[in-house]
């Protein structure tokens, strides 16, 4: 049996994506604000809200301030949410014209992404070691220049 709530959420996400793709930013913002009245927005929704606010025409300082607050809220929920860190970096660089602040956020994004890549490399190496050989795992790790897998 399918979950009707899950189906409803999937439909709502598809609607939001379609509105943004169709450049219906006002309607997308209305949808997000309606959600926000019934429950707190997720980090992903807050990033979407920020993007929509930045793209609304005509450009408005009030909307840009709201966009930045939405990103701050997303990062309060999850300080390592990569899409929010990247969006804040681009916002700092392109909207606020603050490349120094953007650089800090881009470096943070690289650190987060690199940690994920290293974890994936360690996991794949552990699987190769188990399924193929220790030599295969070591070759894979050396190929990527990652830290060796340590047996605990």
């Amino acid at each position: 049996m399918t979950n009707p709530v899950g189906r409803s959420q999937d439909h709502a996400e598809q609607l939001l994506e379609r509105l943004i793709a169709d450049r219906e930013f006002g309607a997308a913002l209305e949808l997000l604000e309606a959600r926000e009245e019934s429950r707190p927005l997720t980090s992903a929704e807050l990033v979407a809200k920020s993007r929509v606010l930045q793209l609304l025409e005509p450009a408005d300082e009030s909307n840009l301030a709201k966009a930045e607050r939405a990103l701050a809220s997303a990062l309060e929920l999850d300080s390592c949410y990569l899409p929010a860190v990247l969006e804040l970096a681009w916002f700092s660089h392109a909207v606020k014209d603050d490349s120094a602040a953007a650089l800090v956020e881009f470096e943070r994004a690289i650190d987060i992404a690199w940690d994920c890549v290293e974890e994936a490399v360690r996991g794949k190496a552990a699987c190769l070691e188990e399924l193929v050989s220790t030599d295969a795992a070591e070759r894979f790790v050396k190929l990527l220049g990652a830290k060796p897998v340590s047996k605990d």
Side-chain angles (χ1 to χ4, degrees):
M1 177 176 253
T2 61
N3 177 350
V5 173
R7 233 185 0 227
S8 173
Q9 289 171 343
D10 289 344
H11 176 70
E13 293 308 312
Q14 290 171 355
L15 175 59
L16 178 61
E17 289 172 12
R18 191 177 81 242
L19 289 170
I20 292 171
D22 291 345
R23 304 188 62 77
E24 296 289 337
F25 304 124
L29 182 60
E30 287 176 17
L31 177 64
L32 287 163
E33 288 175 340
R35 285 184 191 174
E36 202 166 18
E37 288 177 13
S38 64
R39 62 164 175 77
L41 295 179
T42 65
S43 290
E45 291 168 331
L46 287 161
V47 170
K49 181 178 180 181
S50 175
R51 288 179 181 155
V52 165
L53 285 162
Q54 292 174 62
L55 295 167
L56 279 174
E57 294 289 339
D60 171 317
E61 288 298 317
S62 169
N63 284 340
L64 294 178
K66 290 177 189 174
E68 189 171 20
R69 281 195 304 274
L71 292 173
S73 295
L75 291 167
E76 283 175 18
L77 291 174
D78 181 354
S79 64
C80 293
Y81 184 57
L82 189 54
V85 175
L86 285 168
E87 191 68 25
L88 180 59
W90 282 112
F91 184 89
S92 297
H93 177 69
V95 177
K96 295 178 74 176
D97 196 26
D98 186 348
S99 292
L103 182 61
V104 169
E105 295 305 326
F106 281 122
E107 288 173 347
R108 185 170 147 207
I110 290 167
D111 288 343
I112 293 166
W114 188 251
D115 288 346
C116 290
V117 169
E118 283 184 329
E119 183 68 22
V121 167
R122 282 193 299 272
K124 181 174 179 176
C127 292
L128 286 171
E129 185 173 28
E130 184 176 314
L131 297 171
V132 181
S133 70
T134 300
D135 187 52
E138 289 173 356
R139 281 195 314 268
F140 170 71
V141 170
K142 283 181 187 175
L143 177 70
L144 295 176
K147 296 175 187 169
V149 177
S150 62
K151 290 207 171 193
D152 294 335

